[in-house]
Coordinates of all heavy atoms in Angstrom, one line a residue:
M24 N 25.2 -9.4 25.2 CA 23.9 -10.0 25.0 C 23.0 -9.0 24.4 O 22.8 -7.9 24.8 CB 23.4 -10.4 26.4 CG 22.1 -11.2 26.3 SD 21.8 -11.9 28.0 CE 20.1 -11.8 28.0
S25 N 22.3 -9.4 23.3 CA 21.4 -8.5 22.6 C 20.1 -8.5 23.3 O 19.7 -9.5 24.0 CB 21.2 -9.0 21.2 OG 20.7 -10.3 21.1
P26 N 19.3 -7.4 23.2 CA 18.0 -7.3 23.8 C 17.1 -8.4 23.2 O 17.2 -8.8 22.1 CB 17.5 -5.9 23.5 CG 18.4 -5.4 22.5 CD 19.6 -6.2 22.4
E27 N 16.1 -8.8 24.0 CA 15.1 -9.8 23.5 C 14.3 -9.1 22.4 O 13.9 -8.0 22.5 CB 14.2 -10.2 24.7 CG 13.3 -11.3 24.3 CD 12.5 -11.8 25.5 OE1 13.0 -11.7 26.6 OE2 11.3 -12.3 25.3
K28 N 14.0 -10.0 21.4 CA 13.2 -9.5 20.3 C 11.7 -9.3 20.7 O 11.2 -10.0 21.5 CB 13.2 -10.6 19.2 CG 14.5 -10.7 18.4 CD 14.5 -11.9 17.5 CE 13.6 -11.8 16.3 NZ 13.9 -12.9 15.4
S29 N 11.1 -8.2 20.2 CA 9.7 -7.9 20.5 C 8.9 -8.9 19.7 O 9.3 -9.6 18.8 CB 9.4 -6.5 20.1 OG 9.3 -6.4 18.7
I30 N 7.6 -9.0 20.2 CA 6.7 -9.9 19.4 C 6.6 -9.4 18.0 O 6.4 -10.3 17.1 CB 5.3 -9.9 20.1 CG1 4.4 -11.0 19.5 CG2 4.6 -8.5 20.1 CD1 3.1 -11.2 20.3
F31 N 6.7 -8.1 17.7 CA 6.6 -7.6 16.3 C 7.8 -8.1 15.5 O 7.7 -8.4 14.4 CB 6.4 -6.1 16.3 CG 5.1 -5.6 16.9 CD1 5.0 -4.4 17.4 CD2 4.0 -6.4 16.9 CE1 3.8 -3.9 17.9 CE2 2.8 -6.0 17.4 CZ 2.7 -4.7 18.0
S32 N 9.0 -8.1 16.1 CA 10.2 -8.5 15.4 C 10.0 -10.0 15.1 O 10.4 -10.5 14.0 CB 11.4 -8.3 16.2 OG 11.7 -6.9 16.2
K33 N 9.4 -10.8 16.0 CA 9.2 -12.2 15.8 C 8.2 -12.4 14.7 O 8.3 -13.4 13.9 CB 8.8 -12.9 17.1 CG 9.9 -13.0 18.1 CD 9.4 -13.5 19.4 CE 10.5 -13.6 20.5 NZ 10.0 -14.1 21.8
I34 N 7.2 -11.6 14.6 CA 6.2 -11.7 13.5 C 6.9 -11.3 12.2 O 6.7 -12.0 11.2 CB 5.0 -10.8 13.8 CG1 4.2 -11.3 14.9 CG2 4.1 -10.6 12.5 CD1 3.1 -10.4 15.4
I35 N 7.7 -10.3 12.1 CA 8.4 -9.9 10.9 C 9.3 -11.0 10.5 O 9.4 -11.3 9.3 CB 9.2 -8.6 11.2 CG1 8.2 -7.4 11.4 CG2 10.2 -8.3 10.1 CD1 8.9 -6.1 12.0
D36 N 10.0 -11.7 11.4 CA 10.9 -12.8 11.1 C 10.1 -14.1 10.9 O 10.8 -15.2 10.7 CB 11.9 -12.9 12.2 CG 12.9 -11.8 12.2 OD1 13.0 -11.0 11.2 OD2 13.6 -11.6 13.2
R37 N 8.8 -14.1 10.9 CA 7.9 -15.3 10.7 C 8.1 -16.3 11.8 O 7.9 -17.5 11.5 CB 8.2 -15.9 9.3 CG 8.0 -15.0 8.1 CD 6.6 -14.3 8.1 NE 6.3 -13.8 6.8 CZ 6.5 -12.5 6.4 NH1 7.2 -11.7 7.2 NH2 6.1 -12.1 5.2
E38 N 8.5 -15.9 13.0 CA 8.6 -16.8 14.1 C 7.3 -17.0 14.8 O 7.1 -18.0 15.5 CB 9.7 -16.3 15.1 CG 11.1 -16.3 14.5 CD 12.1 -15.6 15.4 OE1 11.8 -15.4 16.6 OE2 13.1 -15.2 14.9
I39 N 6.4 -16.0 14.6 CA 5.0 -16.1 15.1 C 4.1 -15.7 14.0 O 4.3 -14.8 13.2 CB 4.9 -15.0 16.3 CG1 5.8 -15.3 17.5 CG2 3.4 -14.9 16.7 CD1 5.7 -14.3 18.5
P40 N 3.0 -16.5 13.8 CA 2.1 -16.2 12.7 C 1.3 -15.0 12.9 O 1.0 -14.6 14.1 CB 1.2 -17.5 12.7 CG 1.3 -18.1 14.0 CD 2.6 -17.7 14.6
A41 N 0.9 -14.4 11.8 CA 0.0 -13.2 11.9 C -0.6 -13.1 10.5 O -0.1 -13.6 9.5 CB 0.8 -11.9 12.2
T42 N -1.8 -12.4 10.4 CA -2.4 -12.1 9.2 C -1.8 -10.8 8.6 O -2.1 -9.7 9.1 CB -3.9 -11.9 9.3 OG1 -4.4 -13.2 9.9 CG2 -4.6 -11.7 8.0
F43 N -1.1 -10.9 7.5 CA -0.4 -9.8 6.9 C -1.4 -9.2 5.9 O -1.9 -9.8 5.0 CB 0.9 -10.2 6.1 CG 2.0 -10.5 7.0 CD1 2.1 -11.6 7.9 CD2 3.1 -9.6 7.1 CE1 3.1 -11.8 8.7 CE2 4.2 -9.8 7.9 CZ 4.2 -11.0 8.7
I44 N -1.6 -7.9 6.0 CA -2.5 -7.1 5.1 C -1.6 -6.5 4.1 O -2.0 -6.3 2.9 CB -3.2 -6.0 5.9 CG1 -4.0 -6.5 7.1 CG2 -4.0 -5.1 5.0 CD1 -5.1 -7.6 6.6
H45 N -0.3 -6.1 4.4 CA 0.6 -5.5 3.5 C 2.0 -5.7 4.1 O 2.2 -5.8 5.3 CB 0.4 -4.0 3.5 CG 1.4 -3.2 2.8 ND1 1.3 -3.0 1.4 CD2 2.5 -2.6 3.2 CE1 2.3 -2.2 1.0 NE2 3.1 -2.0 2.1
E46 N 3.0 -5.8 3.1 CA 4.4 -5.9 3.5 C 5.2 -5.3 2.4 O 4.9 -5.5 1.2 CB 4.8 -7.3 3.7 CG 6.3 -7.4 4.1 CD 6.8 -8.8 4.5 OE1 6.1 -9.8 4.2 OE2 7.8 -8.9 5.2
D47 N 6.2 -4.5 2.8 CA 7.1 -4.0 1.8 C 8.5 -4.0 2.5 O 8.7 -4.6 3.5 CB 6.7 -2.6 1.3 CG 6.6 -1.5 2.3 OD1 7.4 -1.5 3.3 OD2 5.6 -0.7 2.2
E48 N 9.5 -3.3 1.9 CA 10.8 -3.4 2.4 C 11.0 -2.6 3.7 O 11.9 -2.9 4.5 CB 11.8 -2.8 1.4 CG 11.7 -1.3 1.1 CD 10.6 -0.9 0.2 OE1 9.9 -1.7 -0.4 OE2 10.3 0.3 0.1
K49 N 10.0 -1.7 4.1 CA 10.2 -0.9 5.3 C 9.3 -1.3 6.4 O 9.6 -1.0 7.6 CB 10.0 0.6 4.9 CG 11.0 1.1 4.0 CD 10.7 2.6 3.7 CE 11.8 3.1 2.9 NZ 12.2 3.7 2.0
C50 N 8.1 -1.9 6.1 CA 7.2 -2.1 7.2 C 6.2 -3.3 6.8 O 6.2 -3.8 5.7 CB 6.4 -0.9 7.5 SG 5.3 -0.3 6.2
I51 N 5.4 -3.6 7.9 CA 4.4 -4.6 7.7 C 3.1 -4.0 8.2 O 3.1 -3.1 9.0 CB 4.6 -6.0 8.4 CG1 4.7 -5.8 9.9 CG2 5.9 -6.6 7.8 CD1 4.7 -7.1 10.7
V52 N 1.9 -4.5 7.8 CA 0.6 -4.1 8.3 C -0.1 -5.5 8.6 O -0.2 -6.3 7.8 CB -0.2 -3.3 7.3 CG1 -1.5 -3.0 7.9 CG2 0.6 -2.1 6.9
I53 N -0.5 -5.6 9.9 CA -1.2 -6.8 10.4 C -2.5 -6.4 11.1 O -2.7 -5.3 11.5 CB -0.3 -7.6 11.3 CG1 0.1 -6.8 12.6 CG2 0.9 -8.1 10.5 CD1 0.8 -7.7 13.6
N54 N -3.4 -7.4 11.2 CA -4.5 -7.2 12.1 C -4.1 -7.2 13.5 O -3.3 -7.9 14.0 CB -5.5 -8.4 11.9 CG -6.2 -8.3 10.5 OD1 -6.8 -7.3 10.2 ND2 -6.3 -9.4 9.8
D55 N -4.8 -6.3 14.3 CA -4.6 -6.3 15.8 C -5.3 -7.5 16.3 O -6.4 -7.8 15.9 CB -5.1 -5.0 16.4 CG -4.7 -4.8 17.8 OD1 -5.1 -5.7 18.7 OD2 -4.0 -3.9 18.1
I56 N -4.7 -8.3 17.2 CA -5.3 -9.5 17.8 C -6.4 -9.1 18.8 O -7.2 -10.0 19.2 CB -4.3 -10.4 18.4 CG1 -3.5 -9.8 19.5 CG2 -3.3 -11.0 17.3 CD1 -2.7 -10.8 20.3
N57 N -6.5 -7.9 19.2 CA -7.5 -7.5 20.2 C -8.2 -6.2 19.6 O -8.0 -5.1 20.1 CB -6.9 -7.2 21.5 CG -7.9 -6.9 22.6 OD1 -9.1 -7.3 22.5 ND2 -7.5 -6.3 23.7
P58 N -8.9 -6.3 18.5 CA -9.5 -5.2 17.8 C -10.4 -4.3 18.7 O -11.2 -4.8 19.4 CB -10.2 -5.7 16.6 CG -10.5 -7.1 17.0 CD -9.4 -7.6 17.9
K59 N -10.2 -3.0 18.5 CA -11.1 -2.0 19.2 C -12.1 -1.3 18.2 O -12.8 -0.4 18.6 CB -10.2 -0.9 19.8 CG -9.2 -1.4 20.8 CD -9.8 -2.0 22.1 CE -8.7 -2.3 23.1 NZ -8.7 -3.7 23.5
A60 N -12.1 -1.8 17.0 CA -12.9 -1.3 15.9 C -13.1 -2.3 14.9 O -12.4 -3.4 14.9 CB -12.3 0.0 15.3
R61 N -14.1 -2.1 13.9 CA -14.3 -3.1 12.9 C -13.0 -3.4 12.1 O -12.6 -4.5 11.8 CB -15.4 -2.6 11.9 CG -15.7 -3.6 10.8 CD -16.8 -3.1 9.8 NE -16.4 -2.0 9.1 CZ -15.6 -2.0 8.0 NH1 -15.1 -3.1 7.5 NH2 -15.3 -0.9 7.3
V62 N -12.3 -2.3 11.8 CA -10.9 -2.4 11.2 C -9.9 -1.9 12.2 O -10.1 -0.8 12.7 CB -10.8 -1.6 9.9 CG1 -9.4 -1.6 9.4 CG2 -11.8 -2.1 8.8
H63 N -9.0 -2.7 12.6 CA -8.0 -2.3 13.6 C -6.7 -3.0 13.1 O -6.5 -4.2 13.4 CB -8.3 -2.7 15.0 CG -7.4 -2.2 16.1 ND1 -7.7 -2.2 17.4 CD2 -6.2 -1.6 15.9 CE1 -6.7 -1.7 18.1 NE2 -5.7 -1.3 17.2
L64 N -5.9 -2.2 12.5 CA -4.6 -2.7 11.9 C -3.4 -2.0 12.6 O -3.6 -1.0 13.2 CB -4.5 -2.4 10.4 CG -5.7 -2.9 9.6 CD1 -5.6 -2.4 8.1 CD2 -5.8 -4.4 9.6
L65 N -2.3 -2.7 12.6 CA -1.0 -2.2 13.1 C -0.1 -2.0 12.0 O 0.2 -2.9 11.2 CB -0.5 -3.1 14.2 CG -1.4 -3.5 15.3 CD1 -0.7 -4.5 16.2 CD2 -1.8 -2.2 16.1
I66 N 0.5 -0.8 11.9 CA 1.5 -0.5 10.9 C 2.8 -0.5 11.7 O 3.0 0.3 12.6 CB 1.3 0.8 10.1 CG1 0.0 0.8 9.3 CG2 2.5 1.1 9.2 CD1 -1.3 1.0 10.1
I67 N 3.8 -1.4 11.3 CA 4.9 -1.7 12.1 C 6.2 -1.6 11.2 O 6.3 -2.3 10.2 CB 4.9 -3.1 12.7 CG1 3.6 -3.3 13.5 CG2 6.1 -3.4 13.6 CD1 3.2 -4.7 13.8
P68 N 7.2 -0.7 11.6 CA 8.4 -0.7 10.8 C 9.2 -2.0 11.1 O 9.2 -2.6 12.1 CB 9.1 0.5 11.4 CG 8.7 0.6 12.8 CD 7.2 0.1 12.8
K69 N 9.9 -2.4 10.0 CA 10.8 -3.6 10.2 C 11.9 -3.3 11.1 O 12.4 -4.2 11.8 CB 11.2 -4.1 8.8 CG 10.1 -4.8 8.0 CD 10.5 -5.4 6.8 CE 9.4 -6.2 6.1 NZ 9.8 -6.7 4.8
K70 N 12.4 -2.0 11.1 CA 13.5 -1.6 12.0 C 12.9 -1.6 13.4 O 11.9 -0.9 13.6 CB 14.0 -0.2 11.5 CG 15.1 0.3 12.5 CD 15.6 1.6 12.0 CE 16.7 2.1 13.0 NZ 17.1 3.5 12.6
P71 N 13.5 -2.2 14.3 CA 13.0 -2.2 15.7 C 13.4 -0.9 16.4 O 14.6 -0.7 16.8 CB 13.7 -3.4 16.4 CG 14.9 -3.6 15.6 CD 14.7 -3.2 14.2
I72 N 12.4 0.0 16.5 CA 12.6 1.3 17.2 C 11.7 1.2 18.4 O 10.5 1.0 18.3 CB 12.2 2.5 16.4 CG1 13.0 2.4 15.0 CG2 12.4 3.8 17.1 CD1 12.4 3.3 14.0
A73 N 12.2 1.3 19.6 CA 11.4 1.0 20.8 C 10.2 2.0 21.0 O 9.1 1.6 21.2 CB 12.2 1.0 22.1
T74 N 10.5 3.3 21.0 CA 9.4 4.3 21.2 C 9.7 5.5 20.4 O 10.8 5.7 19.8 CB 9.4 4.8 22.7 OG1 10.5 5.7 22.9 CG2 9.4 3.6 23.7
L75 N 8.7 6.5 20.3 CA 9.0 7.7 19.6 C 10.2 8.5 20.2 O 10.9 9.2 19.5 CB 7.7 8.6 19.7 CG 6.5 8.1 18.8 CD1 5.3 9.1 19.0 CD2 6.9 8.1 17.3
F76 N 10.4 8.3 21.5 CA 11.6 8.9 22.1 C 12.9 8.4 21.5 O 13.9 9.1 21.7 CB 11.6 8.7 23.6 CG 10.5 9.4 24.4 CD1 9.6 8.7 25.1 CD2 10.4 10.8 24.4 CE1 8.6 9.3 25.8 CE2 9.4 11.5 25.1 CZ 8.5 10.7 25.8
D77 N 12.9 7.3 20.9 CA 14.1 6.7 20.4 C 14.4 7.0 18.9 O 15.3 6.5 18.3 CB 14.1 5.1 20.6 CG 14.0 4.8 22.1 OD1 14.9 5.1 22.8 OD2 13.0 4.2 22.5
L78 N 13.5 7.7 18.3 CA 13.6 8.1 16.9 C 14.9 8.9 16.7 O 15.2 9.7 17.5 CB 12.4 8.9 16.3 CG 11.2 8.1 16.1 CD1 10.0 9.0 15.8 CD2 11.3 7.0 15.0
T79 N 15.5 8.8 15.5 CA 16.7 9.6 15.1 C 16.4 10.2 13.8 O 15.4 9.7 13.1 CB 18.0 8.7 15.1 OG1 17.9 7.9 13.9 CG2 18.2 7.9 16.3
P80 N 17.2 11.2 13.3 CA 16.9 11.7 12.0 C 17.0 10.6 10.9 O 16.3 10.8 9.9 CB 18.1 12.7 11.8 CG 18.3 13.2 13.2 CD 18.2 11.9 14.1
D81 N 17.7 9.5 11.1 CA 17.7 8.5 10.1 C 16.4 7.8 10.0 O 16.2 7.0 9.0 CB 18.8 7.4 10.5 CG 20.2 7.9 10.4 OD1 20.4 8.9 9.7 OD2 21.1 7.4 11.1
D82 N 15.5 7.9 10.9 CA 14.2 7.3 10.9 C 13.1 8.1 10.1 O 12.0 7.6 10.0 CB 13.7 6.9 12.3 CG 14.7 6.0 13.0 OD1 15.2 5.1 12.4 OD2 15.0 6.3 14.2
K83 N 13.4 9.2 9.6 CA 12.4 10.1 8.9 C 11.8 9.3 7.8 O 10.6 9.4 7.5 CB 13.0 11.4 8.4 CG 13.3 12.4 9.5 CD 13.6 13.7 9.0 CE 15.0 13.7 8.3 NZ 15.4 15.1 7.9
D84 N 12.6 8.6 7.0 CA 12.2 7.9 5.8 C 11.1 6.8 6.2 O 10.1 6.8 5.6 CB 13.3 7.3 5.0 CG 12.9 6.7 3.7 OD1 12.2 7.4 3.0 OD2 13.3 5.6 3.4
V85 N 11.4 6.0 7.1 CA 10.5 4.9 7.5 C 9.2 5.5 8.1 O 8.1 5.0 7.8 CB 11.2 3.8 8.4 CG1 11.4 4.3 9.8 CG2 10.3 2.6 8.4
M86 N 9.4 6.5 8.9 CA 8.2 7.0 9.6 C 7.3 7.8 8.5 O 6.1 7.6 8.6 CB 8.6 8.0 10.7 CG 9.2 7.3 11.9 SD 8.3 5.9 12.6 CE 6.9 6.8 13.4
G87 N 7.9 8.5 7.6 CA 7.2 9.1 6.5 C 6.5 8.1 5.6 O 5.4 8.3 5.2
H88 N 7.2 7.1 5.4 CA 6.7 6.0 4.5 C 5.4 5.4 5.2 O 4.4 5.2 4.5 CB 7.7 4.9 4.4 CG 7.2 3.7 3.6 ND1 7.1 3.7 2.3 CD2 6.9 2.4 4.1 CE1 6.6 2.5 1.9 NE2 6.5 1.7 3.0
M89 N 5.5 5.2 6.5 CA 4.3 4.6 7.2 C 3.1 5.6 7.2 O 2.0 5.2 7.0 CB 4.7 4.2 8.6 CG 5.6 3.0 8.6 SD 5.9 2.2 10.2 CE 5.9 3.5 11.4
M90 N 3.4 6.9 7.4 CA 2.3 7.9 7.3 C 1.7 7.9 6.0 O 0.4 8.0 5.9 CB 2.9 9.2 7.7 CG 3.3 9.3 9.2 SD 2.1 8.9 10.4 CE 1.0 10.3 10.3
L91 N 2.5 7.9 4.9 CA 1.9 7.9 3.5 C 1.1 6.6 3.2 O 0.2 6.6 2.4 CB 3.0 8.1 2.5 CG 3.6 9.5 2.6 CD1 4.9 9.6 1.7 CD2 2.6 10.6 2.2
L92 N 1.5 5.5 3.8 CA 0.8 4.2 3.6 C -0.5 4.2 4.3 O -1.4 3.5 3.8 CB 1.7 3.1 4.2 CG 1.3 1.7 3.9 CD1 1.3 1.4 2.4 CD2 2.3 0.8 4.5
L93 N -0.7 4.9 5.4 CA -2.0 4.8 6.1 C -3.2 5.0 5.3 O -4.1 4.2 5.3 CB -2.0 5.8 7.3 CG -1.1 5.5 8.5 CD1 -0.8 6.7 9.4 CD2 -1.8 4.3 9.3
P94 N -3.3 6.1 4.5 CA -4.6 6.3 3.7 C -4.8 5.2 2.6 O -5.9 4.8 2.4 CB -4.4 7.7 3.1 CG -3.0 8.1 3.3 CD -2.5 7.3 4.4
Q95 N -3.7 4.7 2.1 CA -3.8 3.7 1.1 C -4.3 2.4 1.7 O -5.2 1.8 1.1 CB -2.4 3.3 0.5 CG -1.8 4.4 -0.3 CD -0.4 4.1 -0.7 OE1 0.0 2.9 -1.0 NE2 0.5 5.1 -0.7
I96 N -3.8 2.0 2.9 CA -4.3 0.9 3.6 C -5.8 1.0 4.0 O -6.6 0.1 3.8 CB -3.4 0.5 4.8 CG1 -2.0 0.2 4.3 CG2 -4.0 -0.6 5.6 CD1 -1.9 -1.1 3.5
A97 N -6.1 2.2 4.5 CA -7.5 2.5 4.9 C -8.4 2.3 3.7 O -9.5 1.7 3.9 CB -7.6 3.9 5.5
Q98 N -8.1 2.9 2.6 CA -8.9 2.8 1.4 C -9.1 1.3 1.0 O -10.1 0.9 0.6 CB -8.4 3.7 0.3 CG -8.7 5.1 0.6 CD -8.1 6.0 -0.5 OE1 -7.0 5.7 -1.1 NE2 -8.7 7.2 -0.7
S99 N -8.0 0.6 1.1 CA -8.0 -0.9 0.7 C -9.0 -1.7 1.6 O -9.4 -2.7 1.2 CB -6.6 -1.5 0.7 OG -6.2 -1.8 2.0
Q100 N -9.2 -1.1 2.8 CA -10.1 -1.8 3.7 C -11.6 -1.2 3.6 O -12.4 -1.5 4.4 CB -9.6 -1.6 5.1 CG -8.3 -2.2 5.4 CD -8.3 -3.7 5.2 OE1 -9.0 -4.4 5.9 NE2 -7.4 -4.3 4.4
G101 N -11.8 -0.4 2.6 CA -13.1 0.2 2.4 C -13.5 1.4 3.3 O -14.6 1.7 3.5
L102 N -12.5 2.0 4.0 CA -12.7 3.1 4.9 C -12.7 4.4 4.2 O -11.8 4.6 3.3 CB -11.7 3.1 6.0 CG -11.6 1.8 6.9 CD1 -10.4 1.9 7.9 CD2 -12.9 1.6 7.6
D103 N -13.6 5.3 4.5 CA -13.5 6.7 4.0 C -13.1 7.7 5.1 O -13.0 8.9 4.9 CB -14.8 7.1 3.3 CG -16.0 7.1 4.3 OD1 -15.8 6.8 5.5 OD2 -17.1 7.3 3.9
G104 N -12.7 7.1 6.2 CA -12.2 7.9 7.3 C -11.6 6.9 8.3 O -12.0 5.7 8.4
F105 N -10.7 7.4 9.1 CA -10.0 6.5 10.1 C -9.4 7.3 11.2 O -9.2 8.5 11.1 CB -9.0 5.5 9.4 CG -7.9 6.2 8.7 CD1 -6.7 6.4 9.4 CD2 -8.0 6.7 7.4 CE1 -5.6 7.0 8.7 CE2 -7.0 7.3 6.8 CZ -5.8 7.5 7.4
K106 N -9.0 6.6 12.3 CA -8.3 7.2 13.4 C -7.0 6.5 13.5 O -6.8 5.3 13.2 CB -9.1 7.0 14.7 CG -8.5 7.6 15.9 CD -9.4 7.6 17.1 CE -9.7 6.3 17.6 NZ -10.4 6.3 18.9
T107 N -5.9 7.3 13.9 CA -4.6 6.7 14.1 C -4.2 6.9 15.6 O -4.7 7.9 16.2 CB -3.5 7.2 13.2 OG1 -3.5 8.7 13.4 CG2 -3.8 6.9 11.8
Q108 N -3.4 6.1 16.1 CA -2.9 6.2 17.5 C -1.5 5.6 17.6 O -1.3 4.5 17.1 CB -3.9 5.5 18.4 CG -3.5 5.6 19.9 CD -4.6 5.0 20.8 OE1 -5.8 5.1 20.5 NE2 -4.2 4.4 21.9
I109 N -0.6 6.4 18.3 CA 0.7 5.8 18.6 C 0.8 6.0 20.1 O 0.9 7.1 20.6 CB 1.8 6.6 17.9 CG1 1.6 6.5 16.4 CG2 3.2 6.0 18.3 CD1 2.6 7.4 15.6
N110 N 0.9 4.9 20.8 CA 1.2 5.0 22.3 C 2.7 5.0 22.5 O 3.4 4.3 21.8 CB 0.6 3.7 22.9 CG -0.9 3.6 22.8 OD1 -1.6 4.6 22.6 ND2 -1.4 2.4 22.7
T111 N 3.1 5.9 23.4 CA 4.5 6.1 23.6 C 4.9 6.0 25.1 O 4.4 6.8 25.9 CB 5.0 7.5 23.1 OG1 4.6 7.5 21.7 CG2 6.5 7.6 23.2
G112 N 5.7 5.0 25.4 CA 6.1 4.8 26.8 C 5.0 4.1 27.6 O 3.9 4.1 27.2
E113 N 5.5 3.5 28.7 CA 4.6 2.7 29.6 C 3.4 3.6 30.1 O 2.3 3.2 30.0 CB 5.3 2.2 30.7 CG 4.5 1.2 31.5 CD 5.4 0.4 32.6 OE1 6.6 0.3 32.4 OE2 4.8 0.1 33.6
S114 N 3.7 4.8 30.5 CA 2.7 5.7 31.0 C 1.8 6.3 29.8 O 0.7 6.8 30.1 CB 3.2 6.9 31.8 OG 4.1 7.7 31.0
G115 N 2.2 6.1 28.6 CA 1.4 6.5 27.4 C 0.6 5.3 26.9 O 0.0 5.4 25.8
G116 N 0.6 4.2 27.6 CA -0.2 3.0 27.2 C 0.5 2.1 26.2 O -0.1 1.1 25.7
Q117 N 1.8 2.3 26.0 CA 2.5 1.4 25.1 C 2.8 0.0 25.8 O 3.3 0.0 26.9 CB 3.9 2.0 24.7 CG 4.6 1.2 23.6 CD 5.8 2.0 23.0 OE1 6.1 3.0 23.5 NE2 6.4 1.4 22.1
E118 N 2.4 -1.1 25.1 CA 2.5 -2.4 25.6 C 3.7 -3.2 25.0 O 4.3 -4.0 25.6 CB 1.2 -3.2 25.5 CG 0.1 -2.6 26.4 CD -1.2 -3.3 26.2 OE1 -1.3 -4.3 25.5 OE2 -2.2 -2.8 26.7
V119 N 3.9 -2.9 23.7 CA 5.0 -3.6 22.9 C 5.9 -2.5 22.6 O 5.6 -1.5 21.9 CB 4.4 -4.3 21.7 CG1 5.6 -4.9 20.9 CG2 3.4 -5.3 22.0
F120 N 7.2 -2.6 23.0 CA 8.2 -1.6 22.8 C 8.9 -1.8 21.5 O 10.1 -2.1 21.4 CB 9.1 -1.5 24.0 CG 8.4 -0.8 25.2 CD1 7.5 -1.6 26.0 CD2 8.4 0.5 25.4 CE1 6.8 -1.0 27.0 CE2 7.7 1.2 26.4 CZ 6.9 0.4 27.2
H121 N 8.1 -1.6 20.4 CA 8.5 -1.5 19.0 C 7.5 -0.6 18.4 O 6.3 -1.0 18.4 CB 8.5 -3.0 18.5 CG 9.0 -3.1 17.1 ND1 9.8 -4.1 16.7 CD2 8.8 -2.3 15.9 CE1 10.0 -4.0 15.4 NE2 9.4 -2.9 14.9
I122 N 7.9 0.6 18.0 CA 6.9 1.6 17.5 C 5.9 0.9 16.5 O 6.3 0.0 15.7 CB 7.7 2.7 16.7 CG1 8.3 3.6 17.7 CG2 6.7 3.5 15.8 CD1 9.1 4.7 17.0
H123 N 4.7 1.3 16.7 CA 3.6 0.9 15.7 C 2.5 1.9 15.8 O 2.3 2.6 16.8 CB 3.1 -0.5 16.1 CG 2.6 -0.7 17.5 ND1 3.5 -0.7 18.6 CD2 1.4 -0.8 18.1 CE1 2.8 -0.9 19.7 NE2 1.5 -0.9 19.4
I124 N 1.8 2.0 14.6 CA 0.7 2.9 14.5 C -0.6 2.1 14.4 O -0.7 1.2 13.6 CB 0.8 3.8 13.2 CG1 2.1 4.5 13.2 CG2 -0.4 4.7 13.1 CD1 2.5 5.2 11.9
H125 N -1.5 2.4 15.2 CA -2.9 1.8 15.2 C -3.7 2.5 14.2 O -3.8 3.8 14.2 CB -3.6 1.9 16.5 CG -2.9 1.1 17.6 ND1 -3.4 -0.2 18.0 CD2 -1.9 1.4 18.4 CE1 -2.6 -0.6 19.0 NE2 -1.7 0.3 19.3
L126 N -4.3 1.8 13.2 CA -5.3 2.4 12.3 C -6.6 1.8 12.6 O -6.8 0.5 12.6 CB -4.9 2.0 10.9 CG -5.7 2.6 9.7 CD1 -4.9 2.7 8.4 CD2 -7.0 1.8 9.5
L127 N -7.6 2.6 13.0 CA -8.9 2.1 13.4 C -10.0 2.8 12.6 O -9.9 4.0 12.3 CB -9.1 2.5 14.9 CG -8.1 1.9 15.9 CD1 -7.2 3.0 16.4 CD2 -8.8 1.2 17.0
G128 N -10.9 2.0 12.1 CA -12.0 2.5 11.4 C -13.3 1.7 11.5 O -13.2 0.5 11.7
Q129 N -14.4 2.3 11.3 CA -15.7 1.6 11.3 C -16.1 1.4 9.8 O -16.8 0.6 9.4 CB -16.8 2.4 12.0 CG -16.4 2.6 13.5 CD -16.2 1.3 14.3 OE1 -16.8 0.3 14.0 NE2 -15.3 1.4 15.2

């Protein structure tokens, strides 16, 4: 039996609607449904990786891609500065166990 798909995998597969800001072969960028700032986006890899603890050397490309995408997305939203956050594990505040980067800006 395969593990249950995360809400992010369901969004990637278009099973749940979301507002897509960006999509490419490696990741998606969507609006956070519970924003903590004027701009609050989630950068999510298409590959389902549960936490930072689950990264392998094979994931360097997708993680590097997402990091390089952050300033481009921020600028496209009119931001000249921003904050990023990755929650890891339940005690680290992670609610959806599919790695994602929060991009927050005023």
